[in-house]
Amino acid sequence: LETNIFQKFYHIVCTIPPGRVATYGQVAILAGKPHSARMVGWALANLSPEDDVPWHRVVNAMGKISLPRGQGYEVQRALLEAEGIHFGPHDHIDLERYGWEPQVT
DNA sequence: AACCTGACTTCGG
DNA sequence: TCCGAAGCCAGGT
């Protein structure tokens, strides 16, 4: 039973619905590791293409893409815009509007 | 084995 | 407003 922290991160990211974004810190908190936002980034950076995890729906706390230009930024932005997410001035995503609010059941 | 570095976030000075 | 440190942890040097 693979219940390591990375599997948890991946599982949580997989539950972010299209057209919504979550922050690294948010994913970390949901995984029970409130101070492990960096680990989420590390985990996503080490994903294999066949893992089929919607990594592009994770942005930083400022509502911006953390990947540098030329190193994934354009790809992530295109994927998000394709889901209807609008980027405002300064490459900013309005988290009040597009932020994911996980349903507690 | 020690030390550094990340697709991070928050808090203090 | 800007800068550094802490907290977490796997990999690379």
Side-chain angles (χ1 to χ4, degrees):
Chain A
L1 189 62
E2 286 299 331
T3 57
N4 62 65
I5 192 59
F6 301 100
Q7 290 301 320
K8 274 189 179 176
F9 288 157
Y10 296 146
H11 174 72
I12 291 168
V13 173
C14 283
T15 66
I16 306 172
R20 294 270 153 185
V21 294
T23 67
Y24 296 93
Q26 188 178 6
V27 173
I29 289 172
L30 291 172
K33 295 286 180 184
H35 293 158
S36 300
R38 300 186 66 130
M39 295 303 93
V40 176
W42 190 92
L44 296 183
N46 285 284
L47 273 175
S48 298
E50 62 269 23
D51 286 323
D52 196 29
V53 173
W55 57 270
H56 59 284
R57 298 185 190 135
V58 183
V59 298
N60 64 35
M62 300 187 300
K64 306 213 304 189
I65 290 175
S66 287
L67 289 171
R69 307 239 173 204
Q71 294 186 54
Y73 172 91
E74 292 82 358
V75 175
Q76 182 169 9
R77 175 159 180 159
L79 287 169
L80 290 176
E81 291 184 321
E83 296 185 351
I85 291 178
H86 174 71
F87 281 70
H90 213 24
D91 305 321
H92 174 262
I93 294 174
D94 183 358
L95 294 181
E96 289 293 319
R97 179 173 176 183
Y98 299 108
W100 175 47
E101 293 163 27
Q103 300 302 320
V104 183
T105 53

XYZ file of all heavy atoms in Angstrom, chain A residues 13-104:
715
model
N -3.778 16.459 -6.209
C -3.720 17.263 -7.430
C -4.704 16.718 -8.463
O -5.323 17.475 -9.202
C -2.287 17.278 -8.008
C -2.269 17.964 -9.368
C -1.346 18.011 -7.044
N -4.854 15.410 -8.483
C -5.785 14.790 -9.434
C -7.237 15.163 -9.165
O -8.089 15.024 -10.040
C -5.638 13.268 -9.403
S -4.182 12.663 -10.277
N -7.520 15.639 -7.964
C -8.906 15.999 -7.648
C -9.217 17.468 -7.926
O -10.348 17.907 -7.735
C -9.226 15.699 -6.167
O -8.443 16.550 -5.330
C -8.937 14.247 -5.838
N -8.226 18.231 -8.366
C -8.482 19.638 -8.711
C -9.251 19.635 -10.031
O -8.766 19.086 -11.011
C -7.173 20.426 -8.905
C -6.274 20.291 -7.673
C -7.486 21.899 -9.192
C -4.880 20.880 -7.872
N -10.447 20.202 -10.046
C -11.256 20.175 -11.267
C -10.706 21.112 -12.349
O -10.039 22.100 -12.032
C -12.626 20.629 -10.777
C -12.325 21.499 -9.597
C -11.133 20.882 -8.941
N -10.994 20.805 -13.598
C -10.567 21.654 -14.713
C -11.120 23.064 -14.514
O -12.216 23.230 -13.987
C -11.197 20.986 -15.936
C -11.329 19.544 -15.529
C -11.700 19.606 -14.069
N -10.340 24.060 -14.890
C -10.816 25.427 -14.760
C -10.577 26.012 -13.383
O -10.999 27.125 -13.085
N -9.897 25.245 -12.537
C -9.595 25.712 -11.173
C -8.115 25.515 -10.909
O -7.468 24.694 -11.529
C -10.373 24.902 -10.147
C -11.856 25.104 -10.222
C -12.282 26.248 -9.316
N -13.497 26.878 -9.795
C -14.012 27.955 -9.216
N -13.424 28.478 -8.173
N -15.094 28.497 -9.688
N -7.582 26.273 -9.961
C -6.176 26.108 -9.596
C -6.050 26.017 -8.074
O -6.882 26.547 -7.341
C -5.306 27.292 -10.084
C -5.253 27.331 -11.598
C -5.812 28.600 -9.502
N -5.011 25.334 -7.622
C -4.737 25.223 -6.193
C -3.306 25.715 -6.006
O -2.541 25.769 -6.970
C -4.859 23.774 -5.733
N -2.968 26.083 -4.786
C -1.599 26.537 -4.545
C -0.795 25.375 -3.964
O -1.354 24.417 -3.443
C -1.566 27.709 -3.551
O -1.973 27.247 -2.263
C -2.479 28.839 -4.001
N 0.522 25.504 -4.042
C 1.390 24.455 -3.510
C 1.094 24.260 -2.026
O 1.007 23.133 -1.542
C 2.866 24.844 -3.691
C 3.271 24.960 -5.137
C 3.220 26.182 -5.806
C 3.694 23.834 -5.843
C 3.588 26.283 -7.139
C 4.056 23.926 -7.185
C 4.003 25.156 -7.828
O 4.346 25.261 -9.141
N 0.960 25.371 -1.326
C 0.714 25.293 0.105
C -0.609 24.617 0.416
O -0.723 23.866 1.383
N -1.587 24.875 -0.403
C -2.911 24.279 -0.211
C -2.839 22.762 -0.357
O -3.403 22.025 0.449
C -3.847 24.877 -1.270
C -5.293 24.519 -1.089
C -6.180 25.183 -2.143
O -5.682 25.814 -3.069
N -7.470 25.030 -1.994
N -2.132 22.312 -1.381
C -1.987 20.871 -1.594
C -1.252 20.247 -0.407
O -1.619 19.189 0.084
C -1.200 20.586 -2.899
C -0.900 19.090 -3.030
C -1.989 21.077 -4.103
N -0.230 20.952 0.058
C 0.548 20.445 1.191
C -0.335 20.296 2.425
O -0.282 19.278 3.118
C 1.716 21.390 1.482
N -1.142 21.300 2.684
C -2.024 21.264 3.850
C -3.009 20.101 3.742
O -3.208 19.360 4.702
C -2.805 22.591 3.978
C -1.844 23.707 4.406
C -3.944 22.451 4.965
C -2.458 25.094 4.391
N -3.599 19.932 2.579
C -4.568 18.859 2.386
C -3.925 17.486 2.556
O -4.585 16.508 2.898
C -5.203 18.971 0.995
C -6.135 20.179 0.824
C -6.554 20.316 -0.625
C -7.345 20.031 1.726
N -2.611 17.433 2.315
C -1.903 16.156 2.448
C -1.447 15.935 3.888
O -0.838 14.925 4.213
C -0.700 16.130 1.503
N -1.732 16.923 4.737
C -1.340 16.777 6.128
C 0.082 17.204 6.415
O 0.655 16.864 7.441
N 0.672 17.962 5.499
C 2.049 18.441 5.672
C 2.082 19.944 5.418
O 2.567 20.407 4.382
C 2.982 17.734 4.672
C 3.114 16.258 4.888
C 3.967 15.971 6.099
C 4.110 14.470 6.311
N 4.853 14.161 7.548
N 1.528 20.716 6.332
C 1.366 22.157 6.162
C 2.628 22.969 5.818
O 2.518 24.044 5.280
C 0.779 22.593 7.503
C 1.181 21.531 8.458
C 1.143 20.271 7.665
N 3.776 22.453 6.114
C 4.999 23.214 5.812
C 5.811 22.574 4.703
O 7.017 22.744 4.636
C 5.857 23.344 7.076
C 5.214 24.184 8.127
N 5.536 24.103 9.458
C 4.255 25.119 8.027
C 4.803 24.959 10.146
N 4.010 25.588 9.301
N 5.132 21.848 3.868
C 5.849 21.127 2.812
C 5.503 21.574 1.400
O 5.518 20.777 0.470
C 5.587 19.630 2.943
O 6.038 19.165 4.196
N 5.213 22.843 1.252
C 4.876 23.355 -0.079
C 5.999 23.045 -1.078
O 5.747 22.713 -2.231
C 4.630 24.858 -0.016
N 7.222 23.140 -0.602
C 8.358 22.878 -1.501
C 8.346 21.453 -1.995
O 8.759 21.161 -3.116
C 9.676 23.133 -0.788
C 9.840 24.526 -0.302
C 11.240 24.709 0.266
N 12.216 24.597 -0.783
C 13.171 25.490 -0.974
N 13.304 26.497 -0.169
N 14.002 25.353 -1.965
N 7.899 20.546 -1.146
C 7.856 19.138 -1.528
C 6.863 18.914 -2.652
O 7.047 18.054 -3.501
C 7.453 18.279 -0.328
C 8.442 18.282 0.793
S 10.076 17.745 0.268
C 10.830 19.318 -0.117
N 5.789 19.704 -2.625
C 4.787 19.572 -3.686
C 5.438 19.946 -5.011
O 5.278 19.249 -6.013
C 3.576 20.484 -3.405
C 2.581 20.409 -4.552
C 2.904 20.080 -2.095
N 6.189 21.018 -5.001
C 6.875 21.436 -6.213
C 7.863 20.378 -6.662
O 7.961 20.055 -7.837
N 8.571 19.831 -5.698
C 9.557 18.801 -6.016
C 8.862 17.599 -6.630
O 9.307 17.020 -7.615
C 10.296 18.398 -4.735
C 11.472 17.521 -4.977
C 12.771 17.923 -5.170
C 11.462 16.090 -5.086
N 13.559 16.827 -5.385
C 12.793 15.683 -5.346
C 10.468 15.118 -4.993
C 13.145 14.357 -5.505
C 10.832 13.788 -5.169
C 12.156 13.421 -5.412
N 7.745 17.212 -6.025
C 7.000 16.050 -6.501
C 6.500 16.270 -7.932
O 6.623 15.386 -8.787
C 5.811 15.773 -5.577
N 5.959 17.445 -8.186
C 5.439 17.724 -9.530
C 6.563 17.785 -10.555
O 6.409 17.367 -11.690
C 4.657 19.037 -9.521
C 3.392 19.032 -8.653
C 2.673 20.368 -8.782
C 2.474 17.892 -9.056
N 7.704 18.299 -10.124
C 8.845 18.408 -11.034
C 9.352 17.027 -11.432
O 9.989 16.869 -12.471
C 9.966 19.208 -10.374
N 9.084 16.038 -10.597
C 9.574 14.687 -10.868
C 8.520 13.745 -11.435
O 8.697 12.537 -11.426
C 10.179 14.093 -9.592
C 11.531 14.698 -9.281
O 12.529 14.362 -9.917
N 11.570 15.630 -8.342
N 7.443 14.329 -11.923
C 6.391 13.510 -12.519
C 6.847 12.926 -13.851
O 7.620 13.545 -14.575
C 5.151 14.371 -12.784
C 4.140 14.537 -11.664
C 3.083 15.530 -12.110
C 3.513 13.200 -11.338
N 6.334 11.748 -14.165
C 6.601 11.153 -15.467
C 5.385 11.486 -16.327
O 4.278 11.565 -15.805
C 6.747 9.643 -15.349
O 7.839 9.327 -14.519
N 5.582 11.679 -17.633
C 4.489 12.038 -18.535
C 3.311 11.065 -18.434
O 2.161 11.463 -18.553
C 5.143 11.960 -19.916
C 6.573 12.275 -19.635
C 6.857 11.586 -18.332
N 3.586 9.803 -18.197
C 2.516 8.798 -18.141
C 1.762 8.784 -16.819
O 0.836 8.011 -16.639
C 3.081 7.399 -18.409
C 4.098 6.938 -17.394
C 5.519 7.312 -17.803
O 5.672 8.265 -18.594
O 6.450 6.654 -17.314
N 2.170 9.647 -15.879
C 1.497 9.667 -14.588
C 0.116 10.295 -14.662
O -0.707 10.107 -13.791
C 2.347 10.413 -13.558
C 3.538 9.582 -13.113
O 3.379 8.353 -12.990
O 4.613 10.159 -12.898
N -0.127 11.078 -15.724
C -1.454 11.631 -15.936
C -1.973 12.420 -14.736
O -3.095 12.216 -14.281
C -2.433 10.492 -16.272
C -3.719 11.025 -16.876
O -3.661 12.084 -17.528
O -4.778 10.386 -16.679
N -1.138 13.299 -14.219
C -1.524 14.159 -13.100
C -1.617 15.595 -13.631
O -0.704 16.052 -14.315
C -0.459 14.104 -11.974
C -0.771 15.122 -10.895
C -0.392 12.692 -11.388
N -2.732 16.285 -13.353
C -2.912 17.666 -13.841
C -2.031 18.676 -13.098
O -2.527 19.566 -12.415
C -4.401 17.904 -13.617
C -4.722 17.063 -12.424
C -3.906 15.816 -12.600
N -0.731 18.549 -13.263
C 0.259 19.383 -12.575
C 0.077 20.868 -12.858
O 0.426 21.714 -12.041
C 1.658 18.949 -12.998
C 1.853 19.008 -14.486
C 1.615 18.004 -15.372
C 2.266 20.144 -15.251
N 1.864 18.436 -16.652
C 2.269 19.751 -16.611
C 2.646 21.458 -14.931
C 2.626 20.623 -17.632
C 3.005 22.317 -15.959
C 2.992 21.904 -17.290
N -0.481 21.176 -14.040
C -0.604 22.578 -14.435
C -1.596 23.362 -13.583
O -1.628 24.583 -13.619
C -1.011 22.662 -15.910
C -2.288 21.981 -16.227
N -2.403 20.612 -16.331
C -3.536 22.472 -16.438
C -3.652 20.289 -16.610
N -4.367 21.392 -16.670
N -2.429 22.641 -12.809
C -3.426 23.340 -11.983
C -2.880 23.761 -10.635
O -3.632 24.132 -9.741
C -4.669 22.453 -11.795
C -5.347 22.141 -13.126
C -6.640 21.363 -12.982
N -7.070 20.925 -14.307
C -7.515 19.704 -14.575
N -7.642 18.813 -13.611
N -7.846 19.378 -15.806
N -1.562 23.720 -10.482
C -0.953 24.145 -9.225
C -0.085 25.375 -9.484
O 0.804 25.348 -10.335
C -0.085 23.023 -8.620
C 0.479 23.478 -7.274
C -0.906 21.750 -8.431
N -0.392 26.443 -8.761
C 0.365 27.692 -8.901
C 0.808 28.161 -7.519
O 0.441 27.541 -6.518
C -0.495 28.787 -9.564
C -0.913 28.366 -10.975
C -1.725 29.087 -8.721
N 1.572 29.237 -7.477
C 2.048 29.668 -6.161
C 1.033 30.553 -5.444
O -0.007 30.909 -6.005
C 3.416 30.349 -6.265
C 3.373 31.629 -7.053
O 2.402 32.365 -7.010
N 4.451 31.903 -7.776
N 1.352 30.902 -4.213
C 0.422 31.628 -3.346
C 0.059 33.012 -3.880
O -0.923 33.599 -3.448
C 1.010 31.750 -1.946
N 0.855 33.518 -4.817
C 0.568 34.837 -5.371
C -0.337 34.729 -6.599
O -0.625 35.712 -7.258
C 1.868 35.543 -5.737
C 2.771 35.732 -4.531
S 4.212 36.751 -4.905
C 4.980 35.787 -6.198
N -0.730 33.500 -6.921
C -1.595 33.306 -8.075
C -0.819 33.388 -9.374
O -1.370 33.720 -10.423
N 0.455 33.071 -9.295
C 1.284 33.116 -10.508
C 1.969 31.771 -10.756
O 2.174 30.975 -9.837
C 2.342 34.207 -10.374
C 1.715 35.563 -10.024
C 2.455 36.737 -10.613
C 3.899 36.812 -10.264
N 4.495 38.094 -10.695
N 2.319 31.566 -12.025
C 3.012 30.336 -12.403
C 4.446 30.421 -11.910
O 5.118 31.429 -12.127
C 2.976 30.167 -13.941
C 1.542 29.842 -14.380
C 3.960 29.112 -14.393
C 1.362 29.774 -15.892
N 4.893 29.371 -11.243
C 6.246 29.393 -10.697
C 7.307 28.997 -11.719
O 8.469 29.350 -11.582
C 6.357 28.457 -9.487
O 5.685 29.015 -8.367
N 6.915 28.244 -12.735
C 7.878 27.835 -13.748
C 8.383 29.047 -14.507
O 7.601 29.917 -14.887
C 7.224 26.859 -14.728
C 6.932 25.469 -14.179
C 6.098 24.679 -15.181
C 8.248 24.753 -13.916
N 9.690 29.133 -14.734
C 10.280 30.246 -15.463
C 9.911 30.184 -16.944
O 9.605 29.117 -17.468
C 11.799 30.039 -15.283
C 11.927 29.107 -14.114
C 10.720 28.227 -14.214
N 9.955 31.323 -17.601
C 9.704 31.384 -19.033
C 10.738 30.503 -19.734
O 11.903 30.498 -19.362
C 9.877 32.807 -19.534
C 9.044 33.817 -18.756
C 8.092 34.556 -19.652
N 7.189 35.391 -18.848
C 5.993 35.763 -19.291
N 5.577 35.367 -20.473
N 5.222 36.504 -18.545
N 10.264 29.758 -20.712
C 11.187 28.889 -21.434
C 11.435 27.578 -20.713
O 12.133 26.706 -21.211
N 10.860 27.441 -19.539
C 11.067 26.201 -18.777
C 9.728 25.655 -18.292
O 9.639 25.128 -17.187
C 11.995 26.438 -17.599
C 13.404 26.790 -18.013
C 14.348 26.877 -16.817
O 14.456 25.940 -16.034
N 15.016 28.007 -16.667
N 8.724 25.833 -19.115
C 7.439 25.273 -18.752
C 6.343 26.305 -18.554
O 5.158 25.973 -18.580
N 6.732 27.534 -18.359
C 5.744 28.592 -18.124
C 4.699 28.645 -19.238
O 3.485 28.622 -18.972
C 6.443 29.954 -18.019
C 5.474 31.107 -17.964
C 5.002 31.584 -16.740
C 4.992 31.695 -19.141
C 4.070 32.611 -16.694
C 4.057 32.730 -19.100
C 3.608 33.179 -17.887
O 2.683 34.187 -17.838
N 5.168 28.708 -20.460
C 4.255 28.826 -21.599
C 3.304 27.639 -21.700
O 2.123 27.794 -21.995
C 5.056 28.971 -22.892
C 5.818 30.281 -23.001
C 7.148 30.267 -22.252
O 7.471 29.242 -21.611
O 7.871 31.289 -22.308
N 3.852 26.443 -21.462
C 3.030 25.236 -21.537
C 1.936 25.265 -20.475
O 0.763 25.019 -20.762
C 3.908 23.973 -21.332
C 3.022 22.725 -21.276
C 4.922 23.851 -22.452
N 2.332 25.581 -19.261
C 1.356 25.598 -18.167
C 0.283 26.654 -18.429
O -0.900 26.407 -18.247
C 2.057 25.886 -16.825
C 1.088 25.872 -15.644
C 1.774 25.897 -14.299
O 2.985 26.099 -14.208
N 1.014 25.696 -13.235
N 0.715 27.824 -18.866
C -0.245 28.895 -19.123
C -1.231 28.502 -20.216
O -2.435 28.742 -20.104
C 0.496 30.173 -19.519
C -0.460 31.279 -19.904
C 0.155 32.647 -19.816
N -0.825 33.650 -20.202
C -0.756 34.939 -19.866
N 0.266 35.362 -19.145
N -1.681 35.786 -20.249
N -0.717 27.878 -21.268
C -1.588 27.461 -22.375
C -2.617 26.442 -21.893
O -3.794 26.497 -22.267
C -0.738 26.868 -23.496
N -2.176 25.509 -21.067
C -3.089 24.484 -20.557
C -4.188 25.119 -19.706
O -5.358 24.742 -19.791
C -2.318 23.450 -19.723
C -1.430 22.490 -20.522
C -0.527 21.692 -19.597
C -2.298 21.562 -21.370
N -3.809 26.090 -18.883
C -4.786 26.747 -18.016
C -5.759 27.595 -18.832
O -6.969 27.590 -18.582
C -4.060 27.619 -16.982
C -3.280 26.830 -15.917
C -2.522 27.779 -14.997
C -4.226 25.949 -15.105
N -5.237 28.317 -19.806
C -6.117 29.159 -20.624
C -7.075 28.293 -21.423
O -8.217 28.677 -21.669
C -5.274 30.041 -21.546
C -4.509 31.106 -20.749
C -3.731 32.055 -21.637
O -3.163 31.587 -22.650
O -3.684 33.255 -21.313
N -6.596 27.099 -21.805
C -7.455 26.177 -22.565
C -8.618 25.703 -21.704
O -9.639 25.239 -22.209
C -6.635 24.974 -23.044
N -8.459 25.816 -20.375
C -9.532 25.407 -19.465
C -10.404 26.593 -19.072
O -11.254 26.488 -18.188
C -8.936 24.756 -18.211
C -8.182 23.464 -18.521
C -7.684 22.758 -17.255
O -7.773 23.364 -16.173
O -7.232 21.619 -17.368
N -10.134 27.728 -19.709
C -10.956 28.905 -19.452
C -10.460 29.840 -18.377
O -11.151 30.779 -17.985
N -9.247 29.592 -17.884
C -8.707 30.467 -16.846
C -8.093 31.717 -17.488
O -7.297 31.625 -18.415
C -7.655 29.709 -16.007
C -8.358 28.628 -15.181
C -6.887 30.670 -15.119
C -7.441 27.774 -14.356
N -8.510 32.846 -16.974
C -8.055 34.121 -17.513
C -6.888 34.704 -16.705
O -6.943 34.738 -15.483
C -9.221 35.097 -17.523
C -8.842 36.473 -17.919
N -8.495 36.802 -19.218
C -8.731 37.611 -17.191
C -8.194 38.090 -19.270
N -8.322 38.606 -18.064
N -5.876 35.139 -17.431
C -4.727 35.759 -16.772
C -4.882 37.264 -16.820
O -5.131 37.840 -17.876
C -3.430 35.368 -17.478
C -2.941 33.977 -17.120
C -3.635 32.862 -17.564
C -1.814 33.799 -16.335
C -3.204 31.569 -17.223
C -1.379 32.516 -15.994
C -2.068 31.405 -16.439
N -4.727 37.896 -15.683
C -4.841 39.342 -15.623
C -3.482 39.962 -15.831
O -2.530 39.291 -16.224
N -3.388 41.262 -15.539
C -2.128 41.971 -15.680
C -1.059 41.310 -14.816
O -1.357 40.736 -13.779
C -2.471 43.375 -15.165
C -3.938 43.501 -15.404
C -4.474 42.137 -15.112
N 0.185 41.374 -15.261
C 1.293 40.850 -14.469
C 1.220 39.328 -14.362
O 1.619 38.747 -13.367
C 1.275 41.493 -13.066
C 2.631 41.682 -12.502
N 3.755 41.780 -13.278
C 3.070 41.779 -11.221
C 4.811 41.920 -12.495
N 4.429 41.920 -11.239
N 0.657 38.679 -15.389
C 0.579 37.208 -15.440
C -0.112 36.626 -14.224
O 0.214 35.536 -13.781
C 1.991 36.613 -15.557
C 2.746 37.182 -16.724
O 2.125 37.397 -17.773
O 3.956 37.427 -16.591
N -1.045 37.373 -13.704
C -1.691 36.979 -12.461
C -3.049 36.295 -12.628
O -3.868 36.698 -13.451
C -1.844 38.240 -11.596
C -2.616 38.025 -10.350
N -3.955 38.329 -10.234
C -2.246 37.520 -9.152
C -4.371 38.032 -9.010
N -3.367 37.545 -8.334
N -3.262 35.243 -11.835
C -4.544 34.541 -11.845
C -5.283 34.964 -10.578
O -4.708 34.957 -9.492
C -4.348 33.009 -11.804
C -3.663 32.530 -13.086
C -5.694 32.307 -11.645
C -3.298 31.048 -13.051
N -6.536 35.344 -10.733
C -7.326 35.760 -9.576
C -7.770 34.531 -8.795
O -8.669 33.797 -9.209
C -8.550 36.550 -10.074
C -9.383 37.075 -8.910
O -9.027 36.787 -7.740
O -10.377 37.765 -9.162
N -7.144 34.312 -7.654
C -7.469 33.120 -6.863
C -8.866 33.187 -6.257
O -9.474 32.171 -5.942
C -6.418 32.924 -5.761
C -5.005 32.591 -6.263
C -4.052 32.402 -5.085
C -5.027 31.343 -7.133
N -9.373 34.407 -6.099
C -10.732 34.537 -5.557
C -11.727 33.951 -6.555
O -12.766 33.419 -6.185
C -11.056 36.021 -5.335
C -10.293 36.656 -4.183
C -10.724 36.072 -2.841
O -11.935 35.857 -2.652
O -9.843 35.822 -2.002
N -11.350 34.068 -7.830
C -12.250 33.613 -8.883
C -11.964 32.180 -9.329
O -12.880 31.397 -9.571
C -12.105 34.553 -10.083
C -12.967 34.182 -11.265
C -12.891 35.253 -12.345
N -13.633 34.865 -13.537
C -13.678 35.605 -14.637
N -13.032 36.757 -14.671
N -14.362 35.199 -15.681
N -10.684 31.840 -9.451
C -10.325 30.512 -9.962
C -9.756 29.562 -8.924
O -9.466 28.410 -9.225
C -9.318 30.667 -11.096
C -9.844 31.445 -12.274
C -9.390 32.739 -12.548
C -10.812 30.894 -13.120
C -9.874 33.467 -13.631
C -11.298 31.610 -14.202
C -10.830 32.894 -14.456
O -11.318 33.603 -15.522
N -9.576 30.034 -7.713
C -9.021 29.172 -6.677
C -9.934 27.992 -6.379
O -11.157 28.145 -6.373
N -9.343 26.853 -6.148
C -10.109 25.632 -5.873
C -10.539 25.589 -4.415
O -9.730 25.796 -3.520
C -9.235 24.424 -6.192
C -9.832 23.092 -5.855
C -11.090 22.658 -6.148
C -9.170 22.012 -5.194
N -11.254 21.362 -5.711
C -10.090 20.934 -5.114
C -7.887 21.830 -4.668
C -9.770 19.715 -4.533
C -7.567 20.623 -4.088
C -8.496 19.563 -4.023
N -11.818 25.314 -4.214
C -12.328 25.167 -2.861
C -12.781 23.724 -2.706
O -13.895 23.378 -3.083
C -13.509 26.113 -2.645
C -13.084 27.582 -2.668
C -14.280 28.503 -2.876
O -15.396 28.112 -2.509
O -14.089 29.602 -3.433
N -11.906 22.870 -2.179
C -12.224 21.453 -2.043
C -13.488 21.220 -1.235
O -13.714 21.867 -0.206
C -10.992 20.866 -1.344
C -10.305 22.032 -0.723
C -10.615 23.191 -1.588
N -14.301 20.318 -1.731
C -15.551 20.001 -1.041
C -15.277 19.051 0.124
O -14.686 18.003 -0.047
C -16.529 19.334 -2.012
C -16.868 20.211 -3.204
C -17.466 21.542 -2.779
O -18.269 21.582 -1.856
N -17.082 22.623 -3.434
N -15.694 19.437 1.287
C -15.523 18.586 2.455
C -16.767 17.718 2.606
O -17.865 18.240 2.773
C -15.342 19.435 3.731
C -15.085 18.533 4.922
C -14.210 20.415 3.521
